[in-house]
Amino acid sequence: MAEATQNVPRARPQVWSVIIGMTVFHLACLGAFYTGVSTAAIVAAIFMYVFRGIGVTAGFHRLLAHRSFKTNRVVQFILALMGSLAVQGGPLWWVAHHRHHHAATETEEDIHSPVTHGMWQAHMGWMMTDAAFNEKGTNSRDLHKFPEIKFLQRYYVWLVIAQPLILYGVGEWLGAAYNTSGLQLVVWGFFISTVFTWHVTFCVNSVCHRWGAQPYDADDASTNNVFIGYLGFGEGWHNNHHKFPSSARHGLEWWQLDLTWWLVRLMMLVGLASEPKIPKQFRKDGDAAAGA
Ligand SMILES: [Zn+2]
Ligand SMILES: [Zn+2]
């Protein structure tokens, strides 16, 4: 009996903190019924969605995970900081998991593949498993040469905690003059915004490996999904991305809106980004090559 108990894999404290944390975040959104809504609350929610979403798509994903364009250390830090605020884990953890996903897509090893593990596990269940925290981060070691990125990984939790405190202060400061309150800005700008950003990101792993178009044979189940393409700042053109993983541009057709790519283009225009990797057939002068 004692032996059998020992063999049962015990959930790590991190797993419980994710389960409890995600439940609390979702329930906290219901606080909107208590706080009500205002223009300031909607602005805060949208701002936090865009600001942190861009941090994940341009910072964590296209820059840190895929090195799909070049920029300077300051911009890299700012983008990584914005991503670290999205409550999706620190940059080294996020990048290690994502690179693993590309290296082992739809295999048993790919812990958020809906093909091998089902939709629930692909969407958010994978973060509630030990496997999510078994990641040693060996495949994100190239980023260890940036102490500022290691700093973000190390102090990630404090970056999460600071946000509701700041939003509460801003809400109280704006106060009745803007028809808002500290609690209202926390509910809308932090909890609702975070949960919405989560589900758009999670849909890239779940929905974009199940429903949508497959213009390219990427040797996996990845799809281009219009809804996630538009909502996820271009990340939903996921079949394009699996075919050309190092491309800085995911929306390859004119109608495939890719706001993250627009941001990279804007940064290039003002000299803050260079050498974007682009697939050969979509390349213009000055673009670098992107491996298939
Ligand atoms: Zn994928
Ligand atoms: Zn990727």
PDB file of all heavy atoms in Angstrom, residues 61 66 98 102 241 245, ligand 2:
ATOM      1  N   HIS A  61       7.474  35.408 -28.715  1.00  0.00           N
ATOM      2  CA  HIS A  61       7.388  34.446 -29.813  1.00  0.00           C
ATOM      3  C   HIS A  61       8.359  34.737 -30.958  1.00  0.00           C
ATOM      4  O   HIS A  61       9.288  33.993 -31.209  1.00  0.00           O
ATOM      5  CB  HIS A  61       5.932  34.381 -30.317  1.00  0.00           C
ATOM      6  CG  HIS A  61       5.697  33.235 -31.248  1.00  0.00           C
ATOM      7  ND1 HIS A  61       4.679  33.204 -32.168  1.00  0.00           N
ATOM      8  CD2 HIS A  61       6.368  32.072 -31.415  1.00  0.00           C
ATOM      9  CE1 HIS A  61       4.724  32.070 -32.842  1.00  0.00           C
ATOM     10  NE2 HIS A  61       5.735  31.361 -32.405  1.00  0.00           N
ATOM     11  N   HIS A  66      11.987  32.556 -31.800  1.00  0.00           N
ATOM     12  CA  HIS A  66      12.389  32.230 -33.186  1.00  0.00           C
ATOM     13  C   HIS A  66      13.502  33.103 -33.737  1.00  0.00           C
ATOM     14  O   HIS A  66      13.994  32.829 -34.830  1.00  0.00           O
ATOM     15  CB  HIS A  66      11.166  32.299 -34.109  1.00  0.00           C
ATOM     16  CG  HIS A  66      10.148  31.226 -33.843  1.00  0.00           C
ATOM     17  ND1 HIS A  66      10.376  29.903 -34.146  1.00  0.00           N
ATOM     18  CD2 HIS A  66       8.919  31.272 -33.272  1.00  0.00           C
ATOM     19  CE1 HIS A  66       9.326  29.177 -33.795  1.00  0.00           C
ATOM     20  NE2 HIS A  66       8.424  29.991 -33.251  1.00  0.00           N
ATOM     21  N   HIS A  98       7.840  26.576 -26.114  1.00  0.00           N
ATOM     22  CA  HIS A  98       7.435  26.822 -27.495  1.00  0.00           C
ATOM     23  C   HIS A  98       8.385  26.163 -28.494  1.00  0.00           C
ATOM     24  O   HIS A  98       7.943  25.594 -29.491  1.00  0.00           O
ATOM     25  CB  HIS A  98       7.316  28.322 -27.771  1.00  0.00           C
ATOM     26  CG  HIS A  98       6.701  28.566 -29.101  1.00  0.00           C
ATOM     27  ND1 HIS A  98       5.372  28.290 -29.362  1.00  0.00           N
ATOM     28  CD2 HIS A  98       7.236  28.972 -30.269  1.00  0.00           C
ATOM     29  CE1 HIS A  98       5.125  28.529 -30.627  1.00  0.00           C
ATOM     30  NE2 HIS A  98       6.238  28.954 -31.213  1.00  0.00           N
ATOM     31  N   HIS A 102       7.579  23.160 -31.451  1.00  0.00           N
ATOM     32  CA  HIS A 102       7.973  23.101 -32.869  1.00  0.00           C
ATOM     33  C   HIS A 102       8.828  21.873 -33.168  1.00  0.00           C
ATOM     34  O   HIS A 102       8.737  21.298 -34.244  1.00  0.00           O
ATOM     35  CB  HIS A 102       8.752  24.366 -33.254  1.00  0.00           C
ATOM     36  CG  HIS A 102       7.864  25.530 -33.563  1.00  0.00           C
ATOM     37  ND1 HIS A 102       7.249  25.718 -34.790  1.00  0.00           N
ATOM     38  CD2 HIS A 102       7.469  26.577 -32.805  1.00  0.00           C
ATOM     39  CE1 HIS A 102       6.525  26.821 -34.766  1.00  0.00           C
ATOM     40  NE2 HIS A 102       6.637  27.365 -33.565  1.00  0.00           N
ATOM     41  N   HIS A 241       2.948  29.667 -40.107  1.00  0.00           N
ATOM     42  CA  HIS A 241       4.039  29.722 -39.133  1.00  0.00           C
ATOM     43  C   HIS A 241       4.749  28.378 -38.979  1.00  0.00           C
ATOM     44  O   HIS A 241       5.967  28.322 -38.868  1.00  0.00           O
ATOM     45  CB  HIS A 241       3.513  30.207 -37.783  1.00  0.00           C
ATOM     46  CG  HIS A 241       4.532  30.183 -36.699  1.00  0.00           C
ATOM     47  ND1 HIS A 241       5.766  30.806 -36.825  1.00  0.00           N
ATOM     48  CD2 HIS A 241       4.549  29.587 -35.475  1.00  0.00           C
ATOM     49  CE1 HIS A 241       6.478  30.595 -35.734  1.00  0.00           C
ATOM     50  NE2 HIS A 241       5.769  29.852 -34.902  1.00  0.00           N
ATOM     51  N   PRO A 245       8.716  28.548 -39.751  1.00  0.00           N
ATOM     52  CA  PRO A 245       8.768  28.941 -38.323  1.00  0.00           C
ATOM     53  C   PRO A 245       9.648  30.140 -38.016  1.00  0.00           C
ATOM     54  O   PRO A 245       9.382  30.864 -37.054  1.00  0.00           O
ATOM     55  CB  PRO A 245       9.286  27.681 -37.622  1.00  0.00           C
ATOM     56  CG  PRO A 245       9.721  26.748 -38.671  1.00  0.00           C
ATOM     57  CD  PRO A 245       9.124  27.161 -39.967  1.00  0.00           C
TER      58      PRO A 245
HETATM   59 ZN    ZN B   2       6.427  29.451 -33.051  1.00  0.00          ZN
END
